[in-house]
Amino acid sequence: VKYLEPYGNSDKVLPLLKERGFKIVAITAFCGNPDDRIRNLSSHFDMRLFDDVYFTKDKESVLTKYRRYKSQSIWVDDSYNYYSDGEKLGFKSFLFDCPTNEKFRDTANMATSWDDILTFFSDESCQPATIAKSKTSNRDLQFSYVLLLGLFVDSVFECSL
């Protein structure tokens, strides 16, 4: 875990989405030493990239915290069980296509690469944009897509099992 490399072009796509104003929340079922995961992440990513990082095997409870944003969020995972949690809660969900998920290709919304996620967010309707003026101040209310990542081992990082 201390020496995992980024998967595909995640180290390019995630910062690009962050620059565009998207919030990025990482939820990992990693149950080892969180300091090792943080060191690994920070060796490849500026940690300001992540608005929140959660270490838990109960990803559904974290997703529940973000449920009110489900219409403006997507959930990405590399485990079908966790992917299903997002689907059940109403999130637009993507399952990374890898050998362990082969049997779900006909039923799950598959992402074959980080470029698939970038393409989804490139749609004009998915851009962060001002949607209304606040009634209590002159500030604009911002519509920000939230990218919920339930993956690190296989999808943000290459798995070296």
Side-chain angles (χ1 to χ4, degrees), residues 25-149:
V25 176
I27 309 167
T28 179
F30 173 73
C31 58
N33 182 345
D35 292 338
D36 289 341
R37 172 63 75 200
I38 294 295
R39 274 192 290 283
N40 187 226
L41 281 172
S42 63
S43 70
H44 298 286
F45 297 97
D46 179 339
M47 289 305 289
R48 293 175 294 187
L49 176 72
F50 303 103
D51 293 278
D52 280 306
V53 178
Y54 296 90
F55 299 91
T56 180
K57 287 197 179 260
D58 185 8
K59 293 182 182 185
E60 186 176 1
S61 69
V62 177
L63 284 173
T64 300
K65 292 179 185 181
Y66 290 91
R67 194 173 190 180
R68 66 180 173 201
Y69 305 111
K70 71 181 177 188
S71 67
Q72 63 214 57
S73 302
I74 70 163
W75 168 238
V76 182
D77 208 290
D78 61 348
S79 161
Y80 184 78
N81 289 337
Y82 292 132
Y83 160 85
S84 296
D85 289 342
E87 286 278 299
K88 181 173 60 176
L89 291 169
F91 287 93
K92 173 69 175 173
S93 301
F94 288 92
L95 178 66
F96 259 96
D97 192 1
C98 59
T100 57
N101 293 329
E102 206 171 300
K103 62 186 169 200
F104 305 114
R105 287 185 180 143
D106 292 335
T107 57
N109 190 26
M110 304 299 281
T112 58
S113 72
W114 279 99
D115 290 324
D116 289 348
I117 304 303
L118 185 59
T119 298
F120 175 80
F121 279 125
S122 294
D123 181 325
E124 192 174 300
S125 66
C126 295
Q127 299 303 310
T130 301
I131 57 168
K133 288 281 187 191
S134 169
K135 294 181 181 186
T136 58
S137 73
N138 287 331
R139 292 185 20 219
D140 291 333
L141 299 176
Q142 293 296 312
F143 177 91
S144 288
Y145 255 81
V146 181
L147 176 58
L148 297 159
L149 303 174

Side-chain angles (χ1 to χ4, degrees), residues 17-34:
L17 290 171
K18 186 67 171 185
E19 284 175 24
R20 293 182 186 176
F22 296 92
K23 297 184 183 315
I24 299 175
V25 176
I27 309 167
T28 179
F30 173 73
C31 58
N33 182 345

